[in-house]
Amino acid sequence: MGMGMGIGGRGGAFRGVDEAAQRTLNAQAPQIPNLDARVVALFRPYLGRIVVTGILVVAGAAIGVIPPLIVQRIFDDALFPQDGSGPELALLVRLVVAMVGLFLLSAGLGVAQTWFTSTVGNRVTGDLRVQLFDHLQAMELGFFTRTKTGVIQSRLQNDVGGVSGVLTNTVTSILGNAVTVASALVAMILIDGRLTVIAVFLMPILIFVQRRVGQVRARIAGQTQESLSELTSITQETLSVSGILLSKAFNRQRTESERYRQENVNQVRLQVQRAMSGQGFLAVVQVLMASVPAVIYLVSGYLIAGGTGAITAGTVVAFTTVQARLLQPLMGLMRVALDLQTSRALFARIFEYLDLQPAIRDAPDAVAAAPGPAGRIEFREVVFRYPDAAPGARPTLGGVSFVAEPGQHVAFVGPSGAGKTTVLYLAPRLYEASAGQVLFSGADVRTLTQESIIDGIGIVSQETYLFHATIRENLRYAKPDATDAELRAACEAAHIHRTIESFEHGYDTVVGERGYRLSGGEKQRIAIARVLLKDPPVLLLDEATSALDTVSERVVQEALDAAARGRTTLSIAHRLSTVIGADVIHVMEAGRIVESGTHAELLARGGLYALLAAEQLTAP
């Protein structure tokens, strides 16, 4: 006869998981100094609400033991009085009203507790999520090139998302379960101490079997989740635009379908296994749960028959009601150490990222205004080695020096791996030079704020990134307050306005994921228009036309030439035809500039540039 009043146990935030696997994951968590103090600091702004939550949890758990005591009185005094005088209806009404009132009070406390815990937990989660996102935005480019995107997303979504559960489940569960167990044991002793001894003796057996059932099911649930993740991964890989194009291009649709079918068979098998797992254990649990009150009834009968003490029907009913509600809280308390350990591991992974120090930071005395001519870029004996480079390996750049005067077009050519792209990364200080100096407008980039450097540079790369939004929204990413007239002027300069106007929705055309609804040339010209809206004095072109066909390359090159007019331009070229008109061409090999000059001068020298030109002329 279960009469739930908040006396039932609360599960921790991490119930239903394989405990052995969870402990292994917890052991892998980073060690963070002063972790507990930092966690407390996160919740300190909400201390008042947390105290109120604690009071509500304690009150709700304590109130939960009162109804069984009322049940005892209903049976012994109102329904079956000991003097045999018949039901006491007036007393019965008062007791029932009191019980209903407690139900209503408990429900109200539960609603209030949920509101407080949900509010505090989600606000802390929101604060952490924004704080972590802001911190990641400040990290250098190298961090993202060596860290998997999925790992970063997991920290933002899974780890930060689990923070709210620490308060809403773990903390309140520990407090609520402790109060529930203590108050239930007191109530059981008050009802009948002898029956309490019997119940306490049987409870450990029931808890042990229940835990075994939970572990078996959790282990299979983990395998099922891994299989679901694999199905999701296959879906993302094969049903994305790129995946569909790849499978169709190689006629591998049947192969992909078979791969999905095999994983789906595994998923079905695990789901059936999960449904059937532990059925024998569950049967034992059900028998034991039914047997405990049966034993109580049996012992009560012997006690009554033996005349060793007054045990009434109300005593038996009230006692079994309290005892039935004791199992889950006890199991919850047995997981306290694991729940707390898991919560600490969760925060440790978050703080590990928050404690990361950007490799590139503004100096304390960094200035926003450079003293020299706007757009002048100079490298002085610049050496660069990537942080994850093998010890003893040659540096990516080994003493590179050059000057790009304002308005000058400086091109870099050379074989793959020569260090061309690295030069373009160092100019806006996306990476830090290992030695030497990089100067922007006459000042060492380390003496300028990063924001001021980036404000003065526009970048057009080989892989144009467009958001799944309208053309207008993609353009305004560079200048949120740009007028329609400014958008049109930029697009006209980029030779894309007429194309946009030919679309049914014009500038309000949605470009699709990564701009897949547009051709390569159209995407590049929109990217050029976006840079023109920014109107920077320096333009960096990283093989901006290498992925285009000849016709698109010509159109985009015309747009690039128009964009570069009057701006300092550093460009990397795979096709030498795109840099013939450059003021200076630097030929790079093995991290060094080995030749410099105009197109005609370099051809006349017969060096590496002439060799590259000859190879391209003879290529089919």
Side-chain angles (χ1 to χ4, degrees), residues 562-573:
R565 196 169 296 122
R567 292 181 170 85
T568 305
T569 304
L570 302 185
S571 66
I572 295 175

Side-chain angles (χ1 to χ4, degrees), residues 234-412:
I234 294 174
T235 302
Q236 290 175 342
E237 288 177 357
T238 57
L239 297 185
S240 65
V241 176
S242 298
I244 284 291
L245 286 174
L246 182 65
S247 64
K248 287 183 178 296
F250 287 92
N251 199 23
R252 297 297 296 272
Q253 297 98 315
R254 291 183 180 178
T255 302
E256 296 299 339
S257 294
E258 178 62 21
R259 186 159 69 109
Y260 188 87
R261 188 194 66 79
Q262 289 178 358
E263 189 58 45
N264 187 61
V265 169
N266 183 46
Q267 174 65 204
V268 171
R269 178 184 61 79
L270 287 170
Q271 290 287 2
V272 173
Q273 189 177 353
R274 182 180 183 181
M276 297 303 298
S277 64
Q279 286 303 304
F281 280 130
L282 286 173
V284 173
V285 168
Q286 291 169 355
V287 170
L288 285 174
M289 292 185 69
S291 299
V292 171
V295 172
I296 298 298
Y297 298 149
L298 180 63
V299 172
S300 299
Y302 275 106
L303 291 175
I304 293 172
T308 57
I311 293 183
T312 63
T315 298
V316 175
V317 172
F319 187 89
T320 53
T321 300
V322 177
Q323 171 271 321
R325 294 291 183 173
L326 194 59
L327 175 63
Q328 294 300 329
L330 280 173
M331 290 184 63
L333 288 178
M334 292 179 67
R335 289 180 51 89
V336 166
L338 179 61
D339 285 350
L340 290 177
Q341 183 189 50
T342 304
S343 297
R344 293 184 83 256
L346 187 77
F347 281 107
R349 288 191 292 271
I350 295 171
F351 282 120
E352 180 188 25
Y353 265 34
L354 286 174
D355 290 345
L356 291 173
Q357 294 298 318
I360 300 175
R361 289 178 286 177
D362 289 341
D365 56 349
V367 297
R376 188 177 192 272
I377 293 179
E378 182 179 0
F379 277 43
R380 295 178 180 173
E381 293 296 323
V382 172
V383 176
F384 178 75
R385 185 190 301 274
Y386 282 96
D388 54 354
R394 72 167 178 83
T396 305
L397 295 182
V400 172
S401 299
F402 69 89
V403 176
E405 298 292 350
Q408 195 175 36
H409 180 187
V410 178
F412 295 86

Side-chain angles (χ1 to χ4, degrees), residues 452-516:
S452 66
I453 299 172
I454 295 299
D455 280 345
I457 294 178
I459 303 174
V460 180
S461 63
Q462 177 181 347
E463 295 185 8
T464 299
Y465 190 91
L466 296 180
F467 298 102
H468 184 62
T470 65
I471 293 174
R472 191 187 310 277
E473 290 168 329
N474 273 284
L475 290 170
R476 283 189 172 140
Y477 189 76
K479 188 179 181 182
D481 58 348
T483 64
D484 288 345
E486 289 175 317
L487 296 182
R488 175 168 180 161
C491 289
E492 286 178 342
H495 299 180
I496 191 63
H497 172 68
R498 289 185 180 179
T499 302
I500 295 174
E501 288 291 290
S502 69
F503 297 151
E504 180 181 357
H505 300 291
Y507 282 81
D508 293 319
T509 300
V510 176
V511 301
E513 185 179 359
R514 298 182 66 87
Y516 271 112

Side-chain angles (χ1 to χ4, degrees), residues 111-194:
V111 171
Q113 174 197 325
T114 301
W115 185 84
F116 275 104
T117 55
S118 179
T119 301
V120 174
N122 284 289
R123 286 187 177 180
V124 171
T125 298
D127 294 344
L128 258 183
R129 186 178 287 118
V130 172
Q131 185 180 353
L132 182 56
F133 187 87
D134 287 346
H135 186 70
L136 289 172
Q137 287 283 326
M139 293 301 294
E140 74 281 2
L141 180 63
F143 169 77
F144 297 95
T145 60
R146 64 178 180 267
T147 307
K148 291 182 178 179
T149 303
V151 174
I152 298 174
Q153 291 177 342
S154 178
R155 297 293 170 101
L156 272 173
Q157 297 173 6
N158 300 336
D159 291 343
V160 176
V163 167
S164 61
V166 172
L167 178 66
T168 56
N169 291 320
T170 303
V171 176
T172 55
S173 293
I174 292 172
L175 182 59
N177 288 337
V179 174
T180 296
V181 170
S183 56
L185 286 174
V186 170
M188 289 167 65
I189 292 172
L190 291 175
I191 293 171
D192 194 287
R194 295 164 299 178

